[in-house]
Amino acid sequence: MKHPYSRPRRLRSSEAIRQMVSETQLTVKDLIVPLFVSDNPDGREEIPSMPGYYRIGLNRLQAEIDEITALNLPSVLIFVKVPDNLKDNEGKEALNAEGLMQQTVRSIKSWAPELIVMTDVALDPYSTFGHDGIVEDEKILNDSTVELLSLMAVSHAEAGADFVAPSDMMDGRILGIRQSLNNAGFADTGIMSYAAKYASGFYGPFRDALDSAPGFGDKKTYQMDPANSKEAIKEARLDQDEGADILMVKPALPYLDVIGKVKANSLLPVAAYQVSGEYAMIKAASEKNWLDHDAVMMETLLAIKRAGADVIATYFAKEAAKLLNR
Ligand code: PBG
């Protein structure tokens, strides 16, 4: 056999060499912990389609926050479950200064002032229709929804949110939110925009968690078509020009190419959201011993980072942090 000069295996021959030449590092500081807040203050309810993940009531949240900060995780992204009797078409409860989101933000900031608090800005948990916008004749209205989301963002900023994270996919909402925040004296509150959010089947378990499934139709008139990636660049550029601080792609693993393109075509940090269905798949397969849970968890997170994500929202954040901190 002729011996080639180039032998890539030389760089794989020991753990120390592999680490020295590794192109991608995943760290605890890259991770965002999604938090589901229960409308039952004493509740701690496991979500059946998300084994090991809980909806937690305000009275039990401090212990969770302590655990998150002890793991050195830097940030949380808050979602609240709204009881049916507080839902309507305009999401009025979303603007309640004493609402669950606003109370949660204030509480977390009082317990852990350094923790980065991000809030979901969208109508669906508050909507009788389970849609991300105001509904009229089974159509999702764009501009009146943007006005509402802008008020919602200001209300979250007043409660102390560091970043608002609009997940609705209405056109022009980053501009509307940025202007409203500035006018209300919150020029320093950031926006992490769900810039390229796809109409995905992978959100199912999340909708179970928040009881927020659409009551009619689907979300394809506002969320993106999975066939498209140039359109993701367009969405990302619009959001960047409208004043977003971080651009998000969602879901993550089925859209690694999109993460890479958005990263290459914008100047902002890119976030990726490893969504509920991605979590559920790995949990279900590893419960059956068909996959090695920890190996697959870390491999997916590393792959998302390698594709171009600077930060990753993931339900695995605590479990991954435990491994990374070892
Ligand atoms: C809705 C919203 C969804 C998710 C985050 N915000 C679901 C949807 O668009 O129907 C999904 C997150 C997940 O699946 O983990 N504004």
Side-chain angles (χ1 to χ4, degrees):
M1 174 186 175
K2 278 198 186 147
H3 292 275
Y5 291 128
S6 221
R7 287 179 175 267
R9 289 185 57 190
R10 279 194 290 262
L11 294 180
R12 297 178 204 139
S13 57
S14 76
E15 183 60 26
I17 295 176
R18 288 192 294 272
Q19 279 185 18
M20 183 174 70
V21 299
S22 159
E23 297 175 36
T24 309
Q25 279 80 39
L26 181 71
T27 78
V28 173
K29 297 296 176 195
D30 303 329
L31 305 176
I32 301 173
V33 188
L35 275 186
F36 295 138
V37 183
S38 172
D39 50 345
N40 170 7
D42 298 312
R44 192 168 189 278
E45 304 123 22
E46 191 172 21
I47 296 138
S49 49
M50 300 180 71
Y53 224 78
Y54 296 82
R55 238 182 357 236
I56 302 171
L58 257 188
N59 295 343
R60 302 180 70 169
L61 204 57
Q62 190 170 5
E64 182 72 16
I65 297 298
D66 287 347
E67 199 187 330
I68 288 167
T69 52
L71 288 166
N72 280 319
L73 286 158
S75 61
V76 293
L77 175 58
I78 307 171
F79 299 91
V80 295
K81 174 155 182 315
V82 180
D84 280 343
N85 65 322
L86 294 179
K87 295 185 184 185
D88 58 34
N89 188 22
E90 292 88 31
K92 283 197 261 321
E93 175 62 14
L95 306 181
N96 179 359
E98 298 306 317
L100 187 53
M101 175 64 89
Q102 290 81 352
Q103 282 188 50
T104 302
V105 172
R106 283 193 295 267
S107 300
I108 295 178
K109 275 290 164 190
S110 74
W111 301 324
E114 302 301 316
L115 190 66
I116 303 164
V117 172
M118 302 179 160
T119 57
D120 183 61
V121 172
L123 218 56
D124 51 324
Y126 297 94
S127 158
T128 27
F129 297 103
H131 273 289
D132 293 44
I134 298 169
V135 175
E136 196 177 279
D137 299 331
E138 303 220 332
K139 289 215 159 53
I140 315 304
L141 304 181
N142 194 88
D143 296 7
S144 47
T145 300
V146 169
E147 282 175 33
L148 194 104
L149 296 171
S150 304
L151 297 173
M152 201 170 159
V154 170
S155 169
H156 294 181
E158 282 168 347
D162 299 294
F163 283 82
V164 294
S167 65
D168 54 288
M169 290 301 280
M170 297 300 119
D171 293 334
R173 89 267 205 230
I174 301 304
L175 184 64
I177 289 173
R178 187 68 271 160
Q179 284 176 338
S180 301
L181 287 173
N182 289 5
N183 291 339
F186 294 105
D188 292 334
T189 305
I191 303 177
M192 178 169 75
S193 111
Y194 290 61
K197 177 173 177 181
Y198 285 86
S200 169
F202 287 98
Y203 306 148
F206 173 96
R207 294 174 186 172
D208 295 342
L210 295 190
D211 181 28
S212 63
F216 67 87
D218 52 40
K219 298 192 173 184
K220 291 181 183 169
T221 67
Y222 44 106
Q223 298 180 349
M224 283 177 54
D225 181 347
N228 298 349
S229 69
K230 265 195 300 206
E231 193 186 1
I233 300 171
K234 178 172 80 177
E235 285 280 8
R237 284 195 181 159
L238 283 170
D239 287 4
Q240 176 175 302
D241 292 347
E242 290 178 26
D245 299 284
I246 302 175
L247 301 169
M248 187 191 278
V249 174
K250 174 182 179 183
L253 203 62
Y255 297 88
L256 293 183
D257 58 325
V258 178
I259 295 171
K261 283 185 187 171
V262 168
K263 181 69 185 172
N265 285 282
S266 77
L267 300 170
L268 296 177
V270 173
Y273 198 142
Q274 183 177 46
V275 300
S276 58
E278 299 179 69
Y279 174 86
M281 283 198 300
I282 293 173
K283 287 291 173 189
S286 45
E287 270 177 15
K288 285 181 174 280
N289 284 317
W290 289 353
L291 289 176
D292 175 338
H293 178 274
D294 289 356
V296 171
M297 167 177 79
M298 297 310 274
E299 185 178 336
T300 56
L301 292 170
L302 195 66
I304 294 164
K305 183 100 196 270
R306 188 200 63 233
D310 300 287
V311 275
I312 306 173
T314 172
Y315 303 99
F316 289 118
K318 284 198 299 176
E319 288 175 279
K322 283 175 195 156
L323 294 181
L324 291 168
N325 286 333
R326 273 214 299 240

